[in-house]
Amino acid sequence: MQDQLNALKLEVEQAVAAAKDAAELENIEIRYLGRKGELTGLLKGLAGVSAEDRPKIGALANQIKVQCEGLIAAKRSGLEDAALSNLAETEREDVTEPGVRPPEGHLHLMTKAINEITETFEKIGFVRTRYPEVDWDYYAFESLNMPPDHPARDEWETFFMDAPVSEMGKMVLTPHTSNSQVRELERGEFPVRMINIAKCYRRQSDATHVPMFHQFEGLYVDKNVSITHLRGVLDYFAKSFFGADRKTRLRPFHFRFTEPSFEIDISCGVCGGSGIGADKQKCKICKRGWLELGGAGMVHPNVLKAAKVDPKKYSGFAFGWGVERTYLMKEGMQIDDLRALYKNDLRFLKQF
Ligand code: FA5
């Protein structure tokens, strides 16, 4: 038994000397000195040793255990010291090395469009406002001359909120930014020169319609405002946003909240308004020389009355266009599916 104990000590000495790191050292400790380790195993044989030799062997075993523990502890602190003295080498930082550039994002195409539209209108004294994107039926429809059950409401394919109803009706996800008209007029500060850009929601989803999109709503109300002012603002916008050579035209249309109402077209930037492409065929972008921008018109007297504004004293114009379609027209971008804008596919978004 004495020989076995000495052999074990030798083995531990060799193993400790060869250990390269703390993990290896720990394995050695468990293997030889642990509760189920080799030394404990050997000591179980102590029962078979004669009563006379037992104290001597017991004392030897204890001595070897203490020595082995000492060896392991010394090696452990040696390894720690070595790791510390290597620190200067392993963790050295070369401050002159070029840095690693973190991935850099950029604003979403539509955020850029909104910023640009805002700046364009701010230059002629319009002020960007914010009104609720979840609003009462009253502001989205009723105050805009569309009483409950009026068939014109169907065009807006509205999402209704599952929420309590008030004297202003149900709550809706605003299907257009025109909900801002009466809200802005109710402030009673004239002249009104509002540009309201917000999210709109409709139960529509196909290549040219997204269920969540943006509109920008212009409202100008003062004394003696006429269609000439509307034309002036439209021309200014078309030229500053799309280019000096672009023209606008008004086409008669019908909205319940403007009278007269128009659809606004802008001359096509690709064929220059001729409708004929470079290949002498019909222009592929517009087919007829003009692209549709959105709706506009002179504010209906009933809308002014809803906001307690006297239509005999004040008049004004309003327009409402889709940010997505307007911006794509500017860039002459042919995105064959508008829904790509909101898929969050970085491969697509990084191009802009
Ligand atoms: C309106 O929403 C009127 N409120 C505009 C208006 C305001 C007229 C003030 C008069 C005075 P319309 O439903 O045509 O009109 O929508 C206007 C524009 O919003 C469209 O020309 C289009 O550019 C954009 N638009 C409408 N629905 C969608 C959709 N689902 N996805 C993307 N763009 C849309």
Side-chain angles (χ1 to χ4, degrees):
M1 179 126 193
Q2 206 168 340
D3 291 345
Q4 281 174 307
L5 282 169
N6 284 327
L8 185 111
K9 182 183 164 202
L10 200 66
E11 239 180 86
V12 173
E13 277 171 357
Q14 284 168 349
V16 168
K20 283 187 279 306
D21 55 35
E24 225 178 297
L25 209 56
E26 187 157 346
N27 285 339
I28 295 168
E29 195 168 23
I30 294 168
R31 179 172 163 200
Y32 292 102
L33 307 181
R35 252 187 330 118
K36 293 181 186 162
E38 292 192 17
L39 182 64
T40 321
L42 267 184
L43 290 180
K44 279 188 189 141
L46 213 58
V49 175
S50 67
E52 191 186 320
D53 287 342
R54 214 175 289 155
K56 212 168 83 195
I57 303 282
L60 178 67
N62 208 28
Q63 187 194 346
I64 286 179
K65 186 173 180 226
V66 173
Q67 283 172 341
C68 290
E69 282 170 350
L71 277 176
I72 290 174
K75 176 78 178 192
R76 184 168 284 136
S77 84
L79 283 174
E80 277 166 11
D81 286 351
L84 276 179
S85 61
N86 278 344
L87 215 57
E89 213 27 65
T90 54
E91 305 214 346
R92 190 169 64 94
E93 219 174 278
D94 181 357
V95 291
T96 63
E97 241 181 46
V100 180
R101 223 189 160 80
E104 219 174 86
H106 64 72
L107 294 177
H108 188 277
L109 191 58
M110 284 306 114
T111 309
K112 286 191 204 166
I114 289 169
N115 291 346
E116 199 178 330
I117 292 166
T118 308
E119 275 166 32
T120 308
F121 281 104
E122 276 175 354
K123 283 187 190 145
I124 52 167
F126 280 69
V127 176
R128 180 156 182 208
T129 59
R130 286 293 176 90
Y131 286 111
E133 291 172 354
V134 181
D135 207 352
W136 298 108
D137 177 294
Y138 174 76
Y139 287 110
F141 293 115
E142 206 171 331
S143 66
L144 297 175
N145 204 23
M146 284 185 275
D149 301 325
H150 195 283
R153 289 169 168 234
D154 295 349
E155 286 164 37
W156 275 271
E157 301 195 66
T158 311
F159 289 107
F160 287 90
M161 297 291 290
D162 191 4
V165 175
S166 81
E167 71 278 7
M168 291 203 233
K170 291 182 180 171
M171 294 211 96
V172 301
L173 294 185
T174 48
H176 56 172
T177 42
S178 300
N179 68 312
S180 58
Q181 289 191 16
V182 168
R183 282 190 174 276
E184 176 71 14
L185 289 168
E186 279 176 343
R187 296 176 62 235
E189 284 173 26
F190 296 95
V192 166
R193 277 181 299 218
M194 169 193 89
I195 188 80
N196 174 47
I197 312 183
K199 292 188 192 76
C200 302
Y201 305 84
R202 294 188 192 179
R203 288 186 291 110
Q204 301 170 336
S205 180
D206 58 37
T208 53
H209 295 86
V210 273
M212 188 285 297
F213 58 102
H214 298 80
Q215 279 187 351
F216 57 111
E217 183 94 3
L219 180 68
Y220 180 42
V221 177
D222 201 359
K223 289 180 178 145
N224 302 320
V225 177
S226 70
I227 295 180
T228 321
H229 295 104
L230 170 60
R231 283 229 65 140
V233 169
L234 292 179
D235 282 341
Y236 159 78
F237 179 72
K239 288 188 193 316
S240 6
F241 195 74
F242 294 102
D245 54 336
R246 307 293 282 274
K247 295 186 196 67
T248 57
R249 74 172 182 191
L250 309 186
R251 259 185 304 116
F253 199 73
H254 178 72
F255 289 107
R256 289 281 302 174
F257 36 94
T258 44
E259 181 58 36
S261 301
F262 310 100
E263 285 271 65
I264 312 296
D265 293 338
I266 176 160
S267 59
C268 174
V270 173
C271 67
S274 67
I276 309 292
D279 55 1
K280 307 268 185 272
Q281 305 291 315
K282 259 190 187 177
C283 172
K284 287 189 183 64
I285 303 286
C286 67
K287 298 192 179 72
R288 57 202 160 92
W290 296 92
L291 294 160
E292 192 182 301
L293 262 183
M298 301 307 290
V299 180
H300 197 290
N302 288 354
V303 175
L304 296 172
K305 279 188 214 155
K308 305 209 166 22
V309 175
D310 184 354
K312 289 197 191 84
K313 255 167 88 185
Y314 289 98
S315 55
F317 64 77
F319 55 86
W321 303 331
V323 173
E324 287 77 5
R325 293 202 203 153
T326 306
Y327 196 71
L328 297 187
M329 265 180 223
K330 169 190 165 81
E331 301 293 311
M333 281 185 216
Q334 276 185 288
I335 293 182
D336 52 14
D337 193 335
L338 219 53
R339 290 169 294 191
L341 288 172
Y342 296 114
K343 278 197 178 143
N344 276 346
D345 184 339
L346 287 183
R347 289 168 305 174
F348 172 78
L349 293 173
K350 272 182 179 167
Q351 299 174 78
F352 308 104

